[in-house]
Amino acid sequence: MHIVSKDDRAVGATSPYKFNLGYVWMISSIAALGGLLFGYDWVVIGGAKPFYEPYFGLTSEAQIGWANSCALLGCLIGSICSGIFSDGLGRKKLLIAAASLFGISSVATGWAHTFDTFILWRILGGVAIGIASNVSPTYIAEIAPAQWRGRLVTLNQLTVVVGILAAQVVNLLIAGHIADGATADTIRESWQGQYGWRWMFTAVAVPSLTFFFCAFLVPESPRWLVKKGQTEKAKAVLTRIGGAAYAEDEIRDVDSMLARERSEQGAWRDLFKPLVFGLVLMGIGLAVLQQWSGTNVIFNYAEEIYRGAGYDLSGVMFNIVITGAINLLFTLVATFTVDRLGRRALMLWGTAIITVIHGLLGVAFFLGIKGPLILGLTLAVIAAYATSLAPITWVLLSEIFPNRIRGLAMSIAVSALWIACFAVTYTFPILNKHLGAAGTFWCYGAFCLLGVIFIALFVPETKGRTLEEIEASLTGKR
């Protein structure tokens, strides 16, 4: 005789609940619009780069690196702010705030007439990215049934990838055909150099408005509502998601966990308890690994990489769109495998494959090989990244932290992610100048090798378990 356990329900074996999946997917999709804007605003810089650099007269590696990476300081600020305000104000208000900042900053960046104002508005856009990158996956994880949580949180990464591809397509359409051998002066005086790059940034205002109005339609996170003593509101949300019995069970689980925590010290002191501190360090390690795998420089510095491989500017713009299409295709693969194959397996295999391909890229650049081989290897890196480090890192970060400090711990981990992202984005032109493309990719490959060891030793499997069950197993609370 088989007794139905919560583990069975989590994987959908004999679930007694009847979920309203249409509703769950709807509110998750709205929250995930933050990911779409994140992806667009983050990557649009790569396609606009060949045009705003001549406009502003940027020539040094430091100027180029600063223009590409300044928004990431805003991401860090936004991440810190979300950690401070998420547990106090709730997830919904911050989603609305992020949508507002996306809309304002995109238009202002596009129509900046000095380099300093361009930088200022890019940083503000980064604040919006930082908030969205923190709150969107956290919100989705907190409203999702256990057996759907992996793919629903991965939905956020999918919309990030859609945003990336949208930015690349918009950039290609606006840029049009660039004559072979066009000089910086020619580009600066062209329509693309004066106005085209401005519309690349401004275009994100349309989805920003959509996100802003739709964000008012989603409910507040039921786990946040229970934590704030608003049990009836939480029950209403959970009942709509999975029925009355599901709502009762979920509230009982959250209440039980919170009851053990209310007698303990404040959230900041909780962070330094050995088991919890270990989870925070794990989150920081995953966040830094995602960025220092080096894959994102392919999006932000595609011009340098593909020009070094022998492509002209029009070829570079077309290759950028191909990278976005591959990124989208393999993120879809991750969406449908994360709850079947598990988080840990995808992370291990993906990071190992990236390690090998970075090594091969280094060899190719060292030997002076150009053309389709470089394109093929970069696409292979992106495919491995899109099925592992890119989406699964966000899934794990949304799962591994205890409910009491989830907003704060998520903020710390995501802040580490943006610091690492700033460092890798700012330093790529400098590393590329001093080490060459071969040495630079070998450095990223070495870091990925360390990442494989880190995942194998420290990262647990979390698929098919409720957030409360994950918390109990990782912190020893029963």
Side-chain angles (χ1 to χ4, degrees):
M1 181 177 184
H2 179 67
I3 298 173
V4 178
S5 68
K6 185 173 286 188
D7 288 335
D8 293 327
R9 296 198 303 267
V11 296
T14 52
S15 175
Y17 310 130
K18 185 176 181 180
F19 293 111
N20 184 353
L21 293 179
Y23 178 66
V24 174
W25 278 96
M26 183 195 75
I27 59 179
S28 297
S29 298
I30 291 174
L33 285 174
L36 186 144
L37 297 173
F38 161 13
Y40 188 104
D41 205 43
W42 174 52
V43 167
V44 66
I45 193 87
K49 182 177 178 293
F51 308 107
Y52 72 72
E53 283 182 356
Y55 180 88
F56 290 122
L58 309 183
T59 55
S60 72
E61 286 80 13
Q63 286 179 316
I64 292 169
W66 176 232
N68 263 269
S69 61
C70 65
L72 302 173
L73 290 182
C75 294
L76 175 60
I77 295 169
S79 178
I80 294 170
C81 289
S82 68
I84 294 171
F85 297 115
S86 178
D87 287 334
L89 298 177
R91 318 320 188 198
K92 179 175 179 175
K93 290 185 178 68
L94 289 184
L95 291 174
I96 295 170
S100 304
L101 286 174
F102 274 122
I104 294 168
S105 64
S106 62
V107 175
T109 300
W111 298 96
H113 289 281
T114 68
F115 185 53
D116 288 340
T117 54
F118 175 84
I119 293 294
L120 176 65
W121 289 111
R122 277 296 290 165
I123 291 174
L124 187 61
V127 173
I129 294 175
I131 294 173
S133 67
N134 226 321
V135 179
S136 290
T138 299
Y139 175 86
I140 294 170
E142 291 184 338
I143 60 96
Q147 70 267 40
W148 290 86
R149 190 176 59 248
R151 71 193 69 182
L152 285 169
V153 176
T154 306
L155 172 67
N156 184 70
Q157 179 62 24
L158 179 62
T159 59
V160 172
V161 171
V162 170
I164 289 172
L165 181 58
Q168 293 165 333
V169 171
V170 168
N171 288 346
L172 178 65
L173 293 175
I174 291 175
H177 179 73
I178 310 299
D180 292 348
T183 65
D185 289 337
T186 302
I187 292 173
R188 183 176 59 250
E189 298 305 320
S190 67
W191 178 85
Q192 293 95 327
Q194 291 294 315
Y195 299 104
W197 66 268
R198 299 183 183 281
W199 287 107
M200 294 177 185
F201 289 103
T202 305
V204 80
V206 175
S208 297
L209 282 174
T210 303
F211 182 34
F212 177 79
F213 289 113
C214 287
F216 286 95
L217 303 178
V218 303
E220 183 53 83
S221 160
R223 282 179 169 80
W224 183 86
L225 290 171
V226 173
K227 183 179 176 181
K228 293 300 178 180
Q230 300 178 45
T231 305
E232 291 304 312
K233 289 183 179 179
K235 186 180 294 185
V237 175
L238 290 167
T239 299
R240 189 168 181 186
I241 289 173
Y246 173 74
E248 293 290 345
D249 285 350
E250 289 296 301
I251 289 173
R252 186 184 306 113
D253 287 346
V254 177
D255 267 336
S256 176
M257 192 60 66
L258 289 174
R260 288 192 291 270
E261 294 172 343
R262 287 187 184 111
S263 60
E264 298 175 1
Q265 300 297 326
W268 278 105
R269 294 191 64 176
D270 281 352
L271 290 176
F272 296 99
K273 294 178 179 178
L275 290 175
V276 176
F277 188 62
L279 295 177
V280 174
L281 290 179
M282 184 198 304
I284 291 172
L286 289 168
V288 173
L289 173 60
Q290 189 204 58
Q291 294 304 310
W292 273 90
S293 68
T295 310
N296 284 332
V297 300
I298 297 173
F299 293 113
N300 289 319
Y301 289 102
E303 181 188 5
E304 284 88 342
I305 293 169
Y306 290 132
R307 276 188 180 276
Y311 290 95
D312 60 19
L313 185 53
S314 292
V316 168
M317 299 297 289
F318 182 72
N319 287 350
I320 289 174
V321 174
I322 296 175
T323 65
I326 292 295
N327 196 22
L328 175 58
L329 175 63
F330 282 90
T331 301
L332 285 170
V333 172
T335 301
F336 291 105
T337 56
V338 62
D339 284 321
R340 296 179 182 179
L341 300 180
R343 287 62 154 151
R344 191 170 184 274
L346 287 173
M347 290 286 279
L348 270 174
W349 282 104
T351 308
I353 291 169
I354 294 169
T355 302
V356 173
I357 300 173
H358 277 334
L360 294 175
L361 268 170
V363 171
F365 277 113
F366 182 77
L367 296 176
I369 298 173
K370 297 185 177 184
L373 179 62
I374 298 296
L375 177 61
L377 287 172
T378 56
L379 294 180
V381 168
I382 290 168
Y385 183 72
T387 53
S388 58
L389 287 171
I392 312 303
T393 297
W394 292 107
V395 175
L396 286 167
L397 291 181
S398 71
E399 293 177 330
I400 62 175
F401 301 124
N403 187 62
R404 175 179 171 83
I405 60 162
R406 184 168 295 125
L408 179 59
M410 183 77 168
S411 174
I412 292 171
V414 176
S415 296
L417 185 148
W418 291 122
I419 292 171
C421 189
F422 174 81
V424 76
T425 305
Y426 183 78
T427 58
F428 177 80
I430 299 169
L431 290 174
N432 198 34
K433 179 181 179 181
H434 294 287
L435 301 179
T440 302
F441 279 104
W442 282 334
C443 284
Y444 296 147
F447 196 86
C448 287
L449 180 60
L450 294 176
V452 172
I453 298 170
F454 168 73
I455 294 167
L457 292 178
F458 300 111
V459 176
E461 183 53 73
T462 59
K463 73 169 182 175
R465 297 151 72 187
T466 68
L467 294 178
E468 287 68 41
E469 287 172 329
I470 294 169
E471 179 174 348
S473 66
L474 295 180
T475 63
K477 293 180 180 179
R478 299 291 176 184

